[in-house]
Amino acid sequence: MDPRTYFSVTAIIFLIIAVLHLTRAFTGWEASIGGWTVPQWVSWVALLVSGFLAYSGFNLRKQG
């Protein structure tokens, strides 16, 4: 696989994840894993991480 294609695909996946976390944070969707209710602040942290990874993927695509 071409590196530019790889960076594009991974950046888009992380962007989708970031948008979903942003949506969860603003709408108040509840999430639970094995009976544990995930606090809303986890979505804010995940939004920052996935947003940064998407941003990095798009920047790497430009360089490659």
Side-chain angles (χ1 to χ4, degrees):
M1 179 185 283
D2 179 31
R4 289 180 51 133
T5 304
Y6 175 77
F7 291 135
S8 296
V9 170
T10 56
I12 290 169
I13 290 170
F14 281 119
L15 182 62
I16 291 169
I17 292 169
V19 168
L20 288 172
H21 279 292
L22 182 66
T23 304
R24 178 180 184 256
F26 279 119
T27 61
W29 286 348
E30 289 193 20
S32 60
I33 301 172
W36 175 64
T37 303
V38 181
Q40 289 291 330
W41 65 266
V42 173
S43 280
W44 289 108
V45 173
L47 169 66
L48 292 175
V49 171
S50 58
F52 172 75
L53 291 172
Y55 173 78
S56 296
F58 286 122
N59 277 340
L60 287 171
R61 182 186 182 278
K62 288 181 193 176
Q63 294 175 6

